[in-house]
Amino acid sequence: MPEWRSRAAEYMQDREYLLSAQMTIERGQYTVLPVVPSMRTTPQSQIAAQLLARGERFRLQQAHLYYVTADMTALALAAAATAPAEAVSADRMPAAAGLMVFAEPIGGYSMTQPGAETEVTVPIIAVSWGRWAADDITIDGDSRAVKWMSNTGGTIKRIPSGFEGIWMTFYTPNDNSMYEAMAPDAVVGIAPDGKPTTAADILSLGIKTPLTWDNETVLGFGAHFDPNPNPDTTAEWSATVYTAWQLITQGGTRLTETAEIPRPRSGRKRDVREGITDTGAVRVINVHSTHRPPPSASEQDAQASDGRRAPQYSCRWPVRLHRRDQCMNPAAHKSGDCHHEERVILPYIKGPQDAPLRVRENVNLWDHQPEQSAP
């Protein structure tokens, strides 16, 4: 993961990436976009690509590293089936800036590039984040020179000055495995010069970074999640990420446990040279051992997964989880001076952990006629 972070941060300065980001913006495939009206001699898409890349590079350089196991990914997806009800809070972030890689996709979508003959499934397997404000980026010291726009379902709105929240960037793997499975002459897109791009063309480019920026979103502090987000969207993915944060930071009964893999000294020195501030360990997040499903359940779910979309968790988490608004200071509840926290409550299943789940319906048997009540 430290290597992935370094290469992703470095790629934010690469001319190839900036041109690709510029074309993506020109196609309208963005969620958050900076606009600088004063610079009329330079294409807005070029300025936007540079500003977005600069911000993401900074977040990656500050990022704490987290790896989420397959069981933990499944638990987050199961809990996120009901969107978080609490208002978005900075207290839920496990770190002020981070990069989190999931063992299984937290979502995915299918797409066909203009002029392509082949549909491609794009999995979302990682997210970076950091605190963000609309006034953070300035031009010659003037934050008003940059206007931020949001694009949700084709509806473009201005992000107001003074907006503060959490920026999330979602990543897809750049492993080329889907192109290796295609016929070499399969057309997957159209290049800027109008020529068709084949699977063989993509494979010939090599891989400069294992992670590719797919999309982004901002969550305003104090805002609430859509209880019914559209599938395969940043709204759905961000609810899953926030739920994972809730599971990690939740007080009371511990639902997760963290193991740390130390960074070798040579790697820490290289991180410092590259401007990376968090040179510590990689934090591996797993379901707490007292709540973890048996390995056989994970294996069954893994066999049913295609590795490119969010996995089914029918074996690992067969009973719906729920959320509870819990008072943290009951003595002050009546006066209204208490503090409430949303808790994720795991299902409780009796019996040996390796035993199959058996759900029965209650049947009431009448072996005699009930007594007639008096009129």
Side-chain angles (χ1 to χ4, degrees), residues 161-179:
S161 177
F163 176 98
E164 294 185 355
I166 304 170
W167 181 291
M168 288 185 182
T169 299
F170 299 98
Y171 284 89
T172 185
N174 194 15
D175 60 4
N176 280 347
S177 59
M178 60 182 172
Y179 299 109

Side-chain angles (χ1 to χ4, degrees), residues 19-311:
L19 287 173
S20 174
Q22 183 177 344
M23 288 188 293
T24 299
I25 291 168
E26 290 172 354
R27 289 195 297 264
Q29 296 174 339
Y30 63 87
T31 304
V32 185
L33 185 72
V35 177
V36 186
S38 60
M39 294 186 175
R40 300 186 182 279
T41 58
T42 305
Q44 284 293 320
S45 57
Q46 180 178 338
I47 299 170
Q50 292 173 349
L51 291 177
L52 290 171
R54 186 192 308 171
E56 183 63 8
R57 176 175 168 80
F58 178 78
R59 281 185 291 274
L60 290 171
Q61 288 177 321
Q62 312 297 311
H64 290 226
L65 300 179
Y66 298 86
Y67 177 76
V68 180
T69 66
D71 282 336
M72 181 62 193
T73 304
L75 176 58
L77 287 165
T82 302
E86 69 180 28
V88 174
S89 169
D91 294 338
R92 287 301 190 183
M93 295 190 295
L99 173 65
M100 181 174 282
V101 175
F102 297 86
E104 298 275 3
I106 60 171
Y109 60 93
S110 298
M111 62 174 292
T112 304
Q113 293 281 11
E117 302 170 345
T118 306
E119 184 179 73
V120 175
T121 303
V122 181
I124 301 300
I125 59 126
V127 62
S128 69
W129 72 85
R131 293 183 69 120
W132 183 82
D135 301 330
D136 277 350
I137 295 182
T138 63
I139 302 294
D140 296 330
D142 183 7
S143 62
R144 294 172 299 177
V146 182
K147 294 182 170 128
W148 289 90
M149 313 299 291
S150 69
N151 181 4
T152 305
T155 301
I156 300 175
K157 296 181 180 179
R158 170 81 185 275
I159 298 176
S161 177
F163 176 98
E164 294 185 355
I166 304 170
W167 181 291
M168 288 185 182
T169 299
F170 299 98
Y171 284 89
T172 185
N174 194 15
D175 60 4
N176 280 347
S177 59
M178 60 182 172
Y179 299 109
E180 292 170 352
M182 297 179 186
D185 58 351
V187 177
V188 297
I190 301 297
D193 59 3
K195 295 181 179 179
T197 300
T198 66
D201 294 331
I202 298 294
L203 292 173
S204 68
L205 295 175
I207 298 176
K208 291 188 177 181
T209 173
L211 296 173
T212 298
W213 181 334
D214 182 86
N215 220 315
E216 66 288 326
T217 193
V218 289
L219 307 176
F221 291 138
H224 287 83
F225 287 91
D226 184 344
N228 298 297
N230 290 327
D232 301 337
T233 63
T234 57
E236 183 183 56
W237 308 333
S238 59
T240 299
V241 172
Y242 194 88
T243 298
W245 294 352
Q246 287 180 311
L247 294 167
I248 294 169
T249 61
Q250 179 167 300
T253 303
R254 287 182 57 201
L255 301 183
T256 67
E257 57 188 19
T258 303
E260 295 192 351
I261 301 177
R263 183 87 164 110
R265 183 179 178 184
S266 59
R268 295 199 303 270
K269 293 174 69 174
R270 187 181 67 180
D271 288 344
V272 171
R273 290 195 300 270
E274 295 176 353
I276 292 171
T277 60
D278 178 52
T279 60
V282 176
R283 300 147 189 90
V284 179
I285 311 297
N286 202 352
V287 180
H288 195 277
S289 57
T290 57
H291 305 294
R292 198 176 304 158
S296 58
S298 302
E299 292 171 4
Q300 289 180 57
D301 281 345
Q303 291 173 1
S305 173
D306 62 5
R308 304 203 67 79
R309 281 187 173 272

